[in-house]
Amino acid sequence: MKPFLTGLALLCLTGLCAAAAPNGTFMDELDLSPIRQGWGEPQAKQSVAKRPLTLGGKTYERGVGLHAPGTFYIELDGSASRFSALTGVDGGVGDRGTVTVTIFADGAKVFDSGVMRGGGAPMKIDFPLSGVRSLTFSIGDAGDKNTFDHLDLADAFFETAGEAPKVVNRPPEEPYLLTPPPPAEPRINGPRVFGVTPGAPFIYRIPTTGERPMRFAADGLPEGLALDADTGIITGTIASGDKRPWDVTLRAENAKGKAERPFRIVVGDTLALTPPMGWNHWYAHYDRITDAMMREAADIMVATGMADAGYMYVNIDDCWMNAPKHKDPMRVGPARDENGVLLANAHFPDMRGLTDYIHAKGLRAGTYISPGPLTCAGFTGSYQHEAQDAKTFSDWGFDFLKYDWCSYGDIARKEKGDEAEKLKKPYRQMSALLREQERDIVFNLCQYGMGDVWTWGEEVGGHCWRTAGDLGFELNVYHAVARKNAEHHPYARPGAWNDPDYLQIGFVGDARVTGEPTPCPLTPSEQYSYMSLWCLMAAPLFYSGDMTQLDEFTLNVLCNPEVIEIDQDTLGKQGYPVHVDGEREVWTKPLEDGSIAVGLFNTGEASQDMAFSWEEAGLSGKYRLRDLWRQKDLGTFEGSFAAGTLPRHGVMLLRAWPEK
Ligand code: GLA
């Protein structure tokens, strides 16, 4: 342990101090850079407006200026004995600004300022820290706008004998596993309904957990489809003209037991009858993606059991084409051949070979392009080659296309006409072209929610649409992004899904710098909450972390079939919050069998006892409850349910069946 000498201690060593000043560290001596909340940068020794720190008419030499709202955390080594500071709204804003400060020590509230107003008297903060390992500073805007909400922590000082405190962007939390390993007996997972158009190649690997070897069977398969009994992969083509639902029974058997499950294949015009699930390379590999990495991701999807839980699309994002300029010479080259046919870059020498490889595993392949001349990362776009590209994607064997607005903005700006129509035009055009192809290609609109895309995404032929900008830029507010996405719940239905962006858990690369994958900045509890929210929202479930670094914890979050079943429910309703108060949220989602999924979230900064009432959740009478993360029946309840203590930002996800 490195002894930490502070300014005061140094003064003492040089004989200049009068009384023995306590050893310790001023907050302004700490590296404040982890405090990044999308609000004003914290300032050491000055107010956030970069003027002297002033409180109650007095100027302070030491301290930190911050802007509300936001939360930051301080890690301690247990040797600190006290924290003290003066706090209030900085004098620079006069009598404007309202701020709250709440501080938690190892989850227990130790200071609560209540609403502090500009011009008010500063408040003294002073509490013991013996044995404390983690402090949470939660700064609020007092419920009004955050203009002028400049907060000072003047003379903020940690008395400590050991290591200097460390500012971190999340409190430490050890990973914990909620879900038991899958049983050895077969369990068939995945959607209960699947859409296919007549005449299109069909491929489906029956997602099944349990010991291998396993034998599969399927009763009532439509003519034209065949099942490989060893792999459980169904392939073939259903004769054109045969539009109707087929009620199939899937069966699996191994040395330990058997399972069966109904599976309805709907031959018709609608794809993505449940939210699509898979992996997308973006948040792990950015412009480093190669053919070999895509193949490896497909291998891992099967080897880790992700495919057994229902993940099936293996999708390339941007950067597989050529760019006019790029630091990697293998990604620079001609956009198209002499006939205008789109070219992949040298990292993708054989696109058809790649999709064949993915299909041979019973999985599906996805790709990406922009309707503009260039993609968001500056690679070839489809502009003025749309029909050719739609055919190329189908010829190459792709089953999914993400169509990303990017540079199309410049084209749209120059066009005359109705603004709303201009947003729809490229999507309408490409979806019509995709429907002309031999393959079924799920169409993913990516235009960040412009023009309330949720109100017309389905009309222009989209199967799912991003409702906001890139979540990678604001991962710290994933929960707020979810609440926003949930507002669009009336528009979600089978074949038409609101997409709040990918699952960024496990190892992901920071989107702000398109970094190499590192452990995700969310706590384990937050990662369970993230997955729960996405399932309650019937969101497309695309994992976008590094497949080669999937650990036991990340797989535990990604692969619980009972949790995924909430997302994949046949009714196709999107859940939303029915209670939100800054400390606790209750979300519900109605399900096809008459049961209801209930998510109980601790959104507060400390662990707390949590409960919900029937009234809040819209329930009445007796319900049988099951804890989906732990896969445990809880019993029958009426009126309310007490979940016990949930950790900070933790969740309990329940399924409630009405008792007859
Ligand atoms: C946009 C999209 C992202 C990703 C990148 C690729 O930012 O929103 O999801 O596809 O482009 O450049």
Side-chain angles (χ1 to χ4, degrees):
M1 220 181 266
K2 177 170 76 69
F4 196 83
L5 286 180
T6 68
L8 275 181
L10 275 172
L11 280 177
C12 291
L13 285 177
T14 52
L16 290 174
C17 67
N23 265 355
T25 311
F26 281 104
M27 193 186 256
D28 53 69
E29 293 176 287
L30 308 180
D31 172 9
L32 302 174
S33 62
I35 310 180
R36 259 190 312 201
Q37 305 270 334
W39 35 300
E41 288 285 306
Q43 299 294 327
K45 299 186 186 175
Q46 53 186 356
S47 79
V48 75
K50 301 196 174 162
R51 288 196 285 266
L53 289 165
T54 54
L55 285 177
K58 196 174 153 201
T59 300
Y60 290 82
E61 295 292 316
R62 308 225 59 153
V64 173
L66 296 148
H67 201 304
T71 305
F72 64 93
Y73 311 92
I74 297 207
E75 248 176 49
L76 302 163
D77 67 355
S79 76
S81 50
R82 259 201 123 66
F83 175 74
S84 58
L86 265 193
T87 190
V89 178
D90 184 74
V93 299
D95 60 3
R96 298 167 296 188
T98 46
V99 182
T100 61
V101 183
T102 320
I103 307 173
F104 301 88
D106 287 338
K109 199 185 282 183
V110 287
F111 179 80
D112 190 347
S113 67
V115 178
M116 300 189 292
R117 297 178 190 283
M123 291 179 78
K124 177 87 189 138
I125 305 175
D126 191 6
F127 52 83
L129 283 176
S130 332
V132 171
R133 317 285 309 197
S134 166
L135 282 180
T136 303
F137 284 75
S138 181
I139 297 161
D141 62 7
D144 52 13
K145 290 217 179 86
N146 68 344
T147 342
F148 303 114
D149 286 356
H150 297 182
L151 174 87
D152 292 346
L153 293 168
D155 281 348
F157 187 71
F158 296 91
E159 272 179 42
T160 168
E163 294 273 328
K166 199 169 146 208
V167 182
V168 292
N169 57 15
R170 62 168 175 164
E173 188 185 53
E174 286 299 314
Y176 55 93
L177 300 182
L178 289 180
T179 303
E185 315 78 78
R187 186 194 194 280
I188 304 179
N189 307 307
R192 289 168 191 271
V193 59
F194 207 90
V196 55
T197 64
F202 183 86
I203 183 152
Y204 188 81
R205 180 187 184 278
I206 304 171
T208 313
T209 53
E211 243 172 56
R212 267 35 181 199
M214 192 151 349
R215 292 284 292 174
F216 293 89
D219 306 338
L221 273 185
E223 197 148 328
L225 297 191
L227 167 73
D228 179 322
D230 293 320
T231 60
I233 299 173
I234 304 171
T235 51
T237 302
I238 303 165
S240 49
D242 239 359
K243 286 192 185 174
R244 54 162 277 205
W246 294 80
D247 284 312
V248 179
T249 304
L250 303 176
R251 297 181 196 284
E253 184 167 0
N254 66 9
K256 297 286 163 55
K258 356 172 155 187
E260 63 172 61
R261 178 162 164 121
F263 183 59
R264 175 173 270 213
I265 299 177
V266 183
V267 186
D269 302 315
T270 312
L271 306 179
L273 293 177
T274 64
M277 291 179 64
W279 175 79
N280 171 290
H281 96 253
W282 186 244
Y283 286 118
H285 307 301
Y286 301 104
D287 61 356
R288 302 180 289 273
I289 192 64
T290 64
D291 170 286
M293 289 158 94
M294 293 304 301
R295 289 177 197 237
E296 190 180 29
D299 294 345
I300 296 173
M301 191 176 277
V302 173
T304 55
M306 277 181 75
D308 297 335
Y311 294 89
M312 66 173 81
Y313 288 93
V314 181
N315 290 2
I316 324 176
D317 204 274
D318 203 345
C319 310
W320 60 265
M321 324 76 171
N322 278 314
K325 55 176 196 291
H326 191 270
K327 61 178 186 287
D328 173 0
M330 282 178 75
R331 293 181 202 270
V332 180
R336 295 172 182 277
D337 72 9
E338 61 283 3
N339 300 316
V341 176
L342 185 57
L343 295 172
N345 68 41
H347 289 291
F348 290 88
D350 178 9
M351 277 299 196
R352 183 73 216 199
L354 172 58
T355 67
D356 283 349
Y357 185 87
I358 294 170
H359 291 151
K361 295 179 176 291
L363 305 174
R364 296 174 176 234
T367 191
Y368 164 105
I369 205 159
S370 170
L374 291 176
T375 65
C376 293
F379 289 74
T380 310
S382 280
Y383 186 57
Q384 292 181 330
H385 293 274
E386 296 82 0
Q388 253 179 330
D389 290 359
K391 180 167 184 311
T392 301
F393 296 145
S394 178
D395 290 350
W396 277 346
F398 283 107
D399 311 292
F400 188 105
L401 177 69
K402 171 174 172 183
Y403 209 38
D404 192 352
W405 180 263
C406 305
S407 67
Y408 189 82
D410 300 333
I411 308 291
R413 249 188 306 281
K414 286 182 207 133
E415 274 181 0
K416 289 201 180 51
D418 180 56
E419 290 300 320
E421 197 44 47
K422 276 165 42 175
L423 289 174
K424 295 178 186 175
K425 188 175 148 189
Y427 293 99
R428 217 194 280 287
Q429 177 192 32
M430 184 50 90
S431 76
L433 290 165
L434 293 179
R435 277 196 303 271
E436 285 170 19
Q437 308 307 318
E438 183 214 8
R439 301 192 74 82
D440 281 344
I441 302 179
V442 168
F443 192 37
N444 175 200
L445 278 49
C446 178
Q447 47 83 287
Y448 339 117
M450 289 185 295
D452 296 348
V453 63
W454 43 90
T455 63
W456 52 264
E458 189 182 19
E459 171 206 323
V460 300
H463 298 108
C464 46
W465 40 82
R466 279 266 301 279
T467 55
D470 294 14
L471 181 55
F473 295 133
E474 47 180 6
L475 204 46
N476 57 322
V477 291
Y478 73 96
H479 203 114
V481 167
R483 275 195 303 269
K484 195 83 202 133
N485 181 67
E487 288 173 14
H488 317 313
H489 69 88
Y491 300 98
R493 71 182 106 247
W497 309 105
N498 290 309
D499 174 7
D501 209 353
Y502 303 133
L503 296 166
Q504 295 169 67
I505 65 169
F507 277 69
V508 289
D510 186 336
R512 291 168 295 198
V513 291
T514 61
E516 291 283 351
T518 56
C520 136
L522 304 175
T523 61
S525 292
E526 289 171 335
Q527 298 183 50
Y528 280 115
S529 287
Y530 190 160
M531 182 72 183
S532 307
L533 288 165
W534 262 235
C535 290
L536 284 161
M537 293 189 295
L541 294 180
F542 280 90
Y543 180 53
S544 191
D546 185 353
M547 295 289 274
T548 68
Q549 300 194 67
L550 278 170
D551 54 16
E552 196 187 9
F553 169 77
T554 308
L555 287 167
N556 203 263
V557 179
L558 288 174
C559 292
N560 180 325
E562 295 191 33
V563 171
I564 291 172
E565 194 147 338
I566 302 305
D567 180 79
Q568 294 291 304
D569 185 70
T570 308
L571 192 60
K573 292 265 187 221
Q574 179 175 347
Y576 55 91
V578 291
H579 175 89
V580 177
D581 67 15
E583 288 279 312
R584 186 177 69 104
E585 284 181 24
V586 182
W587 289 54
T588 60
K589 179 185 197 280
L591 304 169
E592 209 224 358
D593 66 353
S595 66
I596 179 161
V598 182
L600 183 59
F601 295 87
N602 176 0
T603 50
E605 285 305 325
S607 54
Q608 51 174 330
D609 286 347
M610 310 241 33
F612 71 93
S613 70
W614 270 208
E615 206 182 335
E616 291 175 309
L619 308 183
S620 73
K622 284 194 179 136
Y623 285 81
R624 184 165 62 79
L625 294 188
R626 186 165 167 85
D627 176 335
L628 299 182
W629 279 113
R630 293 177 182 79
Q631 301 183 346
K632 252 199 198 137
D633 287 328
L634 300 172
T636 301
F637 297 83
E638 192 169 6
S640 66
F641 173 73
T645 310
L646 294 190
R648 169 191 175 272
H649 295 185
V651 60
M652 186 176 268
L653 186 64
L654 303 157
R655 186 159 180 168
W657 288 267
E659 288 271 81
K660 297 280 151 24

